[in-house]
């Protein structure tokens, strides 16, 4: 027999209950967001203003091969260093390594908040793929002083060397190999689409150290720290919308001692997988932030621009695009918060972070497309930022696992046998 | 034995493809990067008769119609580069307008030159305060003896510096609410970039074209009444007729881009192997391409049907608006899917699909937004109330 | 100058922080959900099993005009009464009127949980549009004993008389009027699409008592309690997928004393608006529950059914439909939780509940369509529940404010001037 | 002066519309509710020559082709009821198959009867274990002298009880992997419901049709070899040829439904006033209808193009699959949008749009799912690897 509900309710009220649902913003996060905004205004904006059009005109700020110019690189460095000094840059890292140990929820909100600032260079305030991530927190012995600490202080930047030309999404099939020779490792292979590679001081490179047949598909991969004078940068992989950010990297008989192994031998793929959720939370946060900013811009435009004698916001072809965008952005935001909360509970959030990646990227993409359309020919004009955002959104649906790979993961995680 | 229409069309397709195959991606890349007009390609089109495909034989053209021009544009565009869209200004705006509405003198003067590739046009229509609503243009032409004096500003005007002629739309009478399409006039302006009364500034647009876009300031330009195309005050009506062909030609270009995107994606999906098989074996890769291909072929049929109706002098505005709406939408979908098929490579210059997507995306907004096409269909073909 | 973050973090840690984000399930809710499931199994299922096909075959269980047969009505009544006895039925109502005062979050979760039970009649366990809602909690004096209390005990059911034939979504333009005659009101007018009208003991009828010119568009409307022997039921409004549930109601010179006014004169529209969020949270919960159940069914089918020698789940045309559905269902669920939480905070959640209504209904609709497609011809077959769910999903996009009206609301709430 | 094709087609449209206008919603509702064959309508179609539109004149038909049959079906369907889809079993499966593949004797026996409306067909193809993959049917026919003995089970078979003939597909030879489309045979079975060796049970489907659907059990049915349509073991190939026309006809019916949904929604949107103006004045109401209308017209063009190719004996499988995919998708969208336009009224029997949506929805799944259509396009027309 079921027991009437009254019993439960009264029992529950007398006991200590576990926390239920909340969408509040705790004081700490509130203060951080406010402080970030002030930091951008007072520290980042002057640097960006100094550079002016260099940061927004696609024919400026880059070498012919796409590489960022020295003056842009220096500006980015300065922003990062100031942010590290102020305690923002890698505040999600553990206190033990010099971070602030802020929660994933706070980190999500901070990333989203920055993406809503219409100040070039603001994206450098929080550590992105070039900054220290939990993988690097595994640093031991001399690695701490040489790599982890300078990365935390933004004095050095890094990169993750995983993607390869031949294998794409099928990364366990990588061809980069490190073989034992005496008490050293010899690393050979080629990576591509490596973010921050052209500017990094060192790269965290994934290489197969034990064959799949012995170690299994995901075993047998080790992460090595390789310094910039030990590898060659090949062609830049200039994605439209992210020119100069990625490049090919060549490793040609690079000899590395054991103290270059980050974490434990043969285990790097598992380590990396356990931090995957965090990367997706960052992507989701950025997508939602950009989306909300675009919707604000579109709303202003819809209220100002007139056609056929009316503000264009009066036409449902305009206002309903904004409304759908708001609905999808809000949904993406709540999914982002759920993912971040799960990470804070120590859950891997594999399904949820794939859902966030897919959902938020697609919401951003559709919103960016609609906001271009709302602005008409002005939406296409280079001097406005809308096509730039559309390019970024388009990239988001491919990098860090394409839409299709995310859907595969979601289906599997929910029990579809594939 | 007379050759059937289908056979003629197949022949056109084949020979256009052969011509276009001579011009590779580097050729186009070079002209886009340097914003340089593709002169040798243009001359080749002229030499093979394609610029005059819809111009009467007595002026040196092929004497065919928009249906055939549509096929030419589609195939040039499917072959890559900017080969399709290049038709809009001269063979369409210049050629079609003069063929249909020019005086005998004008026809004899301009049409043979267009056929031979010696006369290129630009189009002075869009204004800062009159995007979608052509009737609200503010450029005025006032009569002074047998001349007109023109003042105003045009924007998003392509190729002014390289054009031999500008087809300029100006208002010659105040708006009459009882007959709103009256009061505009089309002027033929020679060597527009060299006129003292015309000043130009370039605009930046985020689209990979070989043409610059200009803002055009017109301050006291004098044009003789003999250079009116059609008749005074009747320019809007002529323009609306020509705008149908602009949209058909634009649809053909978008279709070619979309089909090219599918072609390139299929090729890549067959070559690229991940997880031990070509990525094209995955339904998440192949089904969207199959659907895009089916949609593009359907949009193509209605585009042909618009062109054929225009050639027969029938009202083609339903088919034209459907062609405009669907070809831009389906091509943009197809190109975005082609990027997705290419993964990271889809974002690089090496694999052309990103350029295709950028070009296709523009066609959802210009020459008229898809929302305006839907307004037109709803109001004029479904009989719903005006919504704007 | 900005103040470095360290200061804030340490300050925040020493102070009492306001609650941050949480997606937990408190013990009380956990127990309620579990208990509900047992209740359905032990109390509802036997009643449903007794009726068998009567509840699922569209040619049974209804009179020719669509009205539910007496045996079905009696079964529904029995489920409601048992649920009220067990304390579930109107547990979201205040304790003062006999409810349990459970939070909107718990109410949301309970509604969603029930929608996931594949037991006919389970939808009668929690008070729907025929049950007591906050509007009725305004009952005073004799209204409490005569209407509110029997409704709480599920001895009587009610209905909301708002929608009219001529005005649809534009309900402030209603034509139903109540005019003062001596110390009575005389009510005249016609309503349609009134849920539960054919079976209700009394209806809460909205009528204009002061003209718009005097009271403004949303003012001047009063809610009257009208008993079943005082009005005529017209034709049933049989929506496909909800046959027998709605009807027209005619009020012809109904004379009502002042003690039939619910709440205060001229104020009913404002009262009703302030409870709108709750209704949308219920719709959202039901949509998400149905969607999750459908995805479970589709997953089982995809893992069992073979075609061309493989389980059909192996084909991405199948598995990606499920994956997209999962992503959208999760997003809808997080939006539902956010709305419910906002209501618990005393917020009206106007934008958010419109977003929930729009997003969850559309997600349910797309999922139901995909699940029909996944099942092929079996998806179309009447003996399977998939077309029935698709019908219900289709209805959701129209009732309680169409998609278009929701988008209008969202756009306006986010500042588009319309 | 010879009448042009366009004029003939316009004439067909007009006269079919006039015929259909005689049968109102009540007529169809009555037949659907009672699952009764619409006999007077059928006879009217026969008397006006429409059942024989694609049958040769020597057998009493009109001697036109699939293109014209497509127009007839589309217009009947657009006029309401089940008037379009009713063509599938008899004029398409029966008529087209016998016209193309029957012996002279069979043609003389059946075709005039089809033209006159005296002979109705049902189709015995689908099986419980062979939905999409026709080649995996398990019904067998074994030769016994000059007869065949047939065993097996068919499902989702319409109209068996009212049919004069069943076109039954059975396997007469084992699957040969080197020639997989060999080994099936088509049998003509008279008065199927009265055969002792055939037993029927009705199936419930959630779709408003006037026909019952049956499961058909065949246990030892004897058919003479003279009643083979085409030749022994060659039935699959003939069937695939006819299946193209089934899909074209299905697409035409879906298009008619979709266009009717738009027609009804436009009418409602013009009549219904809320917030002081017709709801059709709102862009959120009118734009989706405009887009649906444009898409349906494009899908119609590719359907005509499929039919015209079939009539010319060309390979029409790309156009046919595109027509199947797009017409079902666009019609379902259109009908769902028509429901949305009608608000709560969209869900009632009074406003037909819900029935239209239910019928359109079925066409996304049958006779073959849209996923299979995409598989076909991807594999056979884009040249991508087989994905299933």
């Amino acid at each position: 027999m079921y027991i009437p509900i009254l019993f439960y309710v009264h029992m529950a009220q007398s006991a200590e209950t576990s926390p239920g649902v909340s969408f509040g913003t705790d004081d700490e996060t509130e203060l951080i967001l406010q402080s970030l905004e002030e930091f951008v205004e007072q520290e980042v904006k002057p640097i960006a203003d100094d550079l002016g059009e260099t940061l927004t005109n696609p024919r400026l700020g880059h070498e012919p091969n796409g590489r960022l110019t020295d003056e842009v690189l220096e500006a980015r460095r300065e922003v990062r260093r100031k942010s590290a000094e102020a305690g923002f840059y890698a505040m999600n890292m553990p206190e033990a390594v010099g971070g602030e140990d802020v929660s994933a929820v706070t980190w999500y909100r901070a990333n989203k908040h920055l993406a809503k600032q219409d100040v070039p260079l603001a994206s450098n305030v929080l550590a992105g793929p070039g900054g220290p991530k939990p993988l690097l927190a595994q640093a031991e012995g001399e690695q701490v002083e040489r790599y982890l600490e300078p990365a935390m202080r933004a004095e050095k930047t890094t990169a993750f060397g995983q993607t390869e030309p031949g294998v794409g999404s099928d990364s366990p099939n990588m061809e980069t190999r490190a073989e034992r020779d005496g008490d050293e490792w010899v690393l050979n292979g080629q990576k591509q689409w490596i973010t921050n590679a052209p500017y990094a001081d060192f790269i965290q490179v994934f290489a197969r150290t034990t064959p799949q047949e012995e170690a299994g598909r995901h075993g047998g991969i080790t992460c090595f720290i390789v310094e910039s004078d030990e590898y060659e940068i090949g062609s830049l992989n200039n994605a439209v919308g992210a020119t100069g950010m990625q490049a090919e990297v060549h490793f040609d008989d690079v000899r590395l001692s054991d103290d270059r192994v980050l974490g434990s031998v043969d285990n790097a793929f598992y380590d990396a997988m356990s931090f995957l959720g965090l990367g997706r939370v960052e992507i989701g946060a950025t997508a939602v932030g950009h989306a909300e900013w675009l919707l604000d811009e579109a709303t202003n435009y819809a209220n100002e621009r007139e056609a056929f004698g009316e503000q264009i916001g009066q036409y449902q072809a305009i206002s309903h695009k904004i409304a759908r965008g708001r609905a999808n952005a809000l949904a993406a935001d709540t999914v982002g918060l759920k993912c971040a909360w799960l990470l804070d509970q120590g859950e891997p959030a594999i399904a949820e972070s794939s859902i966030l990646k897919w959902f938020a990227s697609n919401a951003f993409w559709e919103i960016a497309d609609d906001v271009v359309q709302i602005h008409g020919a002005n939406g296409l004009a280079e001097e406005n930022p809308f096509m730039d955002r559309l390019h970024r959104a388009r990239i988001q649906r491919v990098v860090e696992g394409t839409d299709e790979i995310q859907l595969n993961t979601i289906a599997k995680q929910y029990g579809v046998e594939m | 034995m007379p050759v059937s229409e289908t056979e003629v069309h197949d022949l056109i397709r084949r020979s256009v493809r052969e011509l276009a195959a001579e011009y590779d991606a580097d050729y186009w890349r070079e002209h886009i990067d340097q914003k340089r007009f593709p002169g040798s390609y243009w001359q080749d089109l002229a030499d093979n008769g394609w610029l005059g495909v819809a111009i009467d034989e007595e002026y040196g053209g092929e004497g065919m119609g928009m249906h055939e021009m549509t096929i030419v544009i589609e195939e040039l565009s499917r072959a890559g580069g900017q080969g399709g869209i290049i038709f809009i200004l001269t063979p369409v705006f210049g050629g079609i307008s003069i063929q249909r509405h020019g005086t005998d003198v004008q026809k004899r003067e301009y049409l043979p030159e267009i056929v031979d590739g010696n006369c290129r046009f630009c189009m002075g229509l869009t204004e800062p305060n009159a995007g979608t609503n052509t009737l609200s243009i503010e450029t005025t032409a006032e009569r002074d003896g047998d001349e007109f004096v023109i003042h105003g500003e045009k924007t998003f005007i392509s190729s002014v510096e390289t054009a031999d002629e500008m087809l300029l739309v100006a208002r010659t009478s105040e708006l009459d609410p009882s007959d709103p399409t009256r009061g505009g006039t089309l002027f033929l302006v020679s060597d527009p970039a060299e006129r003292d009364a015309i000043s130009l500034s370039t605009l930046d647009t985020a689209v990979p074209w070989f043409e610059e876009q200009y803002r055009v300031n017109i301050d006291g330009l004098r044009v003789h009444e003999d250079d009116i195309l059609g008749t005074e005050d009747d320019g809007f009506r002529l323009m609306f007729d020509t705008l149908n062909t602009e949209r058909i030609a634009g649809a053909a270009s978008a279709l070619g881009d979309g089909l090219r995107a599918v072609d390139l994606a299929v090729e890549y999906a067959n070559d690229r192997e991940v997880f031990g098989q070509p990525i094209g074996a995955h339904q998440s890769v192949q089904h969207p391409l199959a659907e895009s291909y089916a949609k593009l072929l359907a949009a193509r049929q209605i585009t042909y049907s618009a062109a054929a109706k225009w050639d027969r002098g029938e009202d083609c505005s339903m088919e034209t608006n459907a062609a405009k709406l669907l070809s831009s939408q389906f091509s943009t979908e197809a190109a975005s899917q082609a990027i997705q098929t290419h993964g990271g490579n889809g974002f690089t210059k090496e694999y052309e699909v990103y350029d295709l997507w950028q070009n296709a995306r523009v066609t959802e907004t210009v020459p008229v937004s898809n929302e305006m096409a839907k307004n037109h269909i709803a109001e004029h073909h479904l009989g719903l109330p005006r919504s704007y």
Side-chain angles (χ1 to χ4, degrees), chain A, chain B:
Chain A
M1 266 299 287
Y2 67 92
I3 302 165
I5 184 177
L6 288 173
F7 171 80
Y8 288 128
V9 170
H10 297 145
M11 195 194 78
Q13 281 169 351
S14 65
E16 187 70 11
T17 63
S18 74
V21 169
S22 169
F23 283 82
T25 308
D26 59 85
D27 296 343
E28 178 187 322
T29 306
E30 192 70 69
L31 290 167
I32 288 173
L33 298 182
Q34 201 182 313
S35 175
L36 265 174
E37 217 168 295
E38 288 164 16
F39 177 80
V40 169
E41 190 60 29
Q42 293 168 23
E43 300 293 329
V44 183
K45 198 162 180 301
I47 302 172
D49 287 348
D50 272 358
L51 284 169
E53 213 199 345
T54 307
L55 294 170
T56 54
N57 182 327
R59 288 168 299 284
L60 300 176
H62 296 269
E63 310 289 350
N65 71 351
R67 188 183 163 90
L68 296 174
T69 59
D70 288 345
E71 87 182 323
V72 172
L73 287 171
E74 179 47 37
R76 292 163 63 99
R77 238 176 261 132
E78 197 184 338
V79 168
R80 284 196 300 266
R81 276 196 306 256
K82 289 197 175 207
S83 173
E85 271 167 40
F88 294 121
Y89 182 61
M91 59 183 172
N92 65 321
M93 293 283 281
E95 287 192 62
V97 306
E100 305 293 340
D101 216 3
V102 304
S103 68
V105 167
T106 302
W107 184 244
Y108 167 85
R109 284 185 156 157
N111 272 279
K112 175 184 146 189
H113 204 67
L114 275 173
K116 291 184 71 169
Q117 310 302 313
D118 186 26
V119 174
L121 296 176
S123 61
N124 293 277
V125 171
L126 298 183
K133 297 283 153 193
L135 194 73
L136 192 62
Q138 299 180 107
E140 284 181 348
E142 289 194 4
Q143 291 174 345
V144 173
E145 200 180 319
R146 193 170 170 86
Y147 306 110
L148 175 57
E149 289 178 357
M152 290 296 297
R153 291 192 300 265
E155 290 161 11
K156 289 187 176 174
T157 64
T158 181
F160 292 89
Q162 180 153 347
T163 306
E164 296 191 2
V167 293
S169 301
D170 188 17
S171 64
N173 259 332
M174 61 179 61
E175 289 172 6
T176 298
R177 270 165 182 50
E179 285 174 18
R180 202 67 189 161
D181 182 29
D183 54 2
E184 287 188 325
W185 296 90
V186 184
L187 178 71
N188 277 292
Q190 188 186 335
K191 302 285 181 181
Q192 71 172 12
W193 290 107
I194 305 306
T195 302
N196 200 45
Y199 319 114
D201 299 284
F202 62 95
I203 299 184
Q204 299 159 68
V205 181
F206 289 72
R208 187 158 281 287
T209 39
T210 305
Q212 288 196 53
E213 303 78 58
E214 289 171 42
R217 180 169 155 79
H218 296 109
I221 290 170
T222 303
C223 180
F224 296 93
I225 297 176
V226 189
E227 299 192 3
S228 58
D229 56 358
E230 295 166 336
Y231 53 78
E232 293 291 324
I233 296 295
S235 299
L236 267 70
N237 302 121
N238 289 317
V240 182
T243 312
M245 299 314 299
Q246 279 113 8
E248 294 173 0
V249 191
H250 300 270
F251 306 96
D252 186 12
D253 278 340
V254 182
R255 302 190 73 88
L256 299 164
S257 60
D258 275 331
D259 63 5
R260 292 298 192 82
V261 172
L262 183 64
S264 57
V265 171
D266 280 353
N267 215 36
F269 202 85
Y270 296 106
D271 294 342
M273 278 204 292
S274 67
F275 305 130
L276 216 56
L278 180 67
R280 294 189 177 155
V281 160
E282 291 170 1
I283 290 176
T286 309
V288 175
H290 282 309
E292 290 183 359
W293 179 80
L294 284 169
L295 291 166
D296 290 345
E297 292 289 305
T299 303
N300 291 338
Y301 191 78
N303 290 342
E304 280 162 17
R305 172 82 176 182
E306 297 199 354
F308 302 102
E310 301 259 24
Q311 293 161 220
I312 61 170
Q314 303 274 349
Y315 304 122
Q316 288 175 322
I318 304 294
S319 63
H320 282 193
K321 284 188 176 72
I322 296 176
R324 273 191 296 269
R326 290 291 182 189
N328 288 321
L330 182 90
D333 187 39
T334 57
V335 174
L337 289 172
K338 176 157 193 177
C339 280
W341 177 81
L342 284 169
L343 295 182
D344 284 335
Q345 309 307 303
E347 300 287 338
I350 299 172
E352 292 83 358
S353 64
S354 277
I355 288 176
L356 175 63
K357 164 71 168 68
W358 178 81
F359 189 88
S361 303
N362 279 278
F364 177 22
W365 160 250
E366 281 166 25
I367 289 165
D369 189 54
D370 281 343
V371 172
V372 167
Q373 194 72 6
I374 288 168
H375 286 82
N378 290 324
L380 300 169
E382 190 185 87
E383 67 260 33
N384 290 325
F386 306 114
M387 284 302 288
D388 174 70
R389 294 304 190 285
L390 186 56
H391 293 159
R392 292 198 204 181
R394 193 65 195 77
I395 290 174
Q396 297 270 297
R397 291 181 46 214
V398 168
V399 296
E400 304 278 332
T402 62
D403 282 355
E404 291 72 21
I405 293 290
Q406 304 302 339
L407 293 174
N408 276 353
T409 303
I410 296 165
K412 277 184 212 151
Q413 287 289 321
Y414 276 100
V416 179
E417 292 160 19
M418 294 180 71
Chain B
M1 182 185 141
V3 184
S4 78
E5 191 187 71
T6 317
E7 284 169 305
V8 171
H9 291 172
D10 285 350
L11 250 156
I12 293 177
R13 263 181 222 286
R14 262 203 310 284
S15 74
V16 166
R17 273 184 209 163
E18 275 167 28
L19 183 157
E22 304 287 311
Y23 300 85
D24 63 7
D26 287 344
Y27 177 85
W28 287 107
R29 166 80 35 221
E30 197 185 308
H31 287 81
I32 290 166
D33 286 349
Q34 301 169 10
K35 300 265 180 221
R36 196 148 59 77
F37 188 82
S40 53
Y41 182 82
W42 186 254
Q43 198 52 54
D44 212 353
L45 288 176
D47 294 348
N48 284 275
W50 300 125
L51 295 181
V53 67
I55 289 173
D56 285 354
E57 289 176 85
E58 62 177 303
Y59 306 110
E62 302 295 323
M64 293 193 269
M66 269 312 292
H67 193 161
E68 288 72 23
M69 176 133 69
T70 301
I71 293 172
V72 172
I73 293 174
E74 173 200 335
E75 288 296 340
L76 290 175
S77 170
R78 189 168 184 174
Q82 310 285 321
I85 198 74
I86 206 174
F87 270 67
I88 298 277
L89 292 177
T90 302
V92 175
F93 272 123
I96 295 278
S97 300
I98 294 171
Q99 170 80 57
R100 274 232 173 167
H101 309 296
T103 61
D104 281 351
V105 176
Q106 288 168 340
K107 287 186 191 177
R108 281 196 303 273
E109 180 178 351
Y110 293 107
L111 295 179
E113 294 291 301
I114 291 174
V115 169
D116 292 344
N118 296 331
C119 177
R120 299 212 302 268
F121 275 74
C122 69
M123 182 69 214
L125 173 58
T126 312
E127 299 191 3
N129 297 318
T132 291
N133 189 1
T134 301
L135 297 179
S136 66
I137 59 165
E138 293 168 358
T139 296
T140 55
E142 272 184 62
R143 187 178 272 279
D144 179 26
D146 52 7
E147 287 189 332
F148 285 81
V149 186
I150 307 181
H151 287 91
E153 194 176 39
K154 300 283 177 181
T155 191
F156 292 112
I157 309 301
S158 293
S159 310
V160 185
E161 279 186 307
T162 58
D164 304 291
E165 293 289 329
M166 174 185 275
L167 198 56
L168 180 64
V169 192
R171 188 169 270 291
T172 37
S173 299
E174 295 284 307
L175 179 77
D176 172 4
S178 69
D179 188 7
T181 60
R182 231 189 113 68
T185 301
L186 297 179
F187 295 95
L188 287 158
V189 181
S190 307
D191 300 318
E194 285 160 32
R195 297 296 190 102
D196 289 338
I198 293 182
S199 56
L200 303 178
S201 54
T202 58
L203 292 171
D204 287 332
T205 51
V207 180
W209 275 354
F210 60 78
E211 298 174 320
E212 294 279 6
Q213 304 261 87
Y214 300 87
R215 186 172 279 241
V216 179
N217 218 300
I218 305 167
D219 187 13
L221 178 71
R222 302 188 78 88
V223 183
H224 195 274
E225 64 180 7
D226 290 348
D227 290 331
I228 288 177
L229 182 64
T231 50
E232 190 181 337
D233 281 342
D234 205 30
F236 288 136
R237 272 190 280 263
L238 309 189
M239 182 52 40
F240 292 147
D241 184 45
T242 304
L243 286 179
N244 275 323
T245 60
E246 180 207 19
R247 282 161 207 189
I248 293 169
S253 167
L255 286 169
D257 275 353
L259 289 166
R260 181 169 183 79
V262 173
D263 294 343
L264 294 173
V266 165
E267 196 182 322
Y268 190 87
N270 272 325
D271 286 352
R272 170 84 175 166
E273 298 211 359
V274 184
F275 300 113
Q277 55 181 332
I279 60 171
H282 296 289
Q283 292 182 328
S284 66
V285 173
Q286 70 167 232
H287 279 193
L289 295 175
E291 183 169 333
S292 275
Y293 188 57
K295 284 175 166 175
L296 289 165
L297 294 194
R300 179 163 82 172
Q301 289 303 125
I302 204 155
T303 306
Y304 292 163
S305 138
K309 277 194 158 185
W310 198 87
D311 287 337
R312 293 198 299 267
E314 297 171 17
D315 175 8
C316 65
S317 70
M318 177 61 220
E319 288 77 9
T320 300
N321 276 288
K324 193 275 154 201
L325 173 67
L326 300 179
S327 66
S328 63
Q329 196 169 310
F330 296 162
S331 291
T332 307
E333 263 177 49
S336 177
Q337 193 55 43
I339 293 174
Q340 197 67 13
T341 307
H342 283 72
N345 288 328
F347 296 92
T348 62
K349 300 277 177 200
E350 189 185 345
Y351 296 85
E352 207 191 311
V353 288
Y354 205 87
D355 279 1
L356 288 172
W357 173 75
Q358 286 184 280
N359 281 325
R361 179 63 186 79
V362 173
T363 65
E364 295 191 308
T365 303
V366 295
V368 69
S369 74
N370 283 353
E371 287 73 17
M372 286 306 297
K374 290 186 217 176
N375 281 338
H376 183 96
I377 293 170
E379 186 182 346
H380 298 288
H381 300 286
L382 295 178
L384 286 164
R386 184 177 166 101
S387 69
Y388 57 96

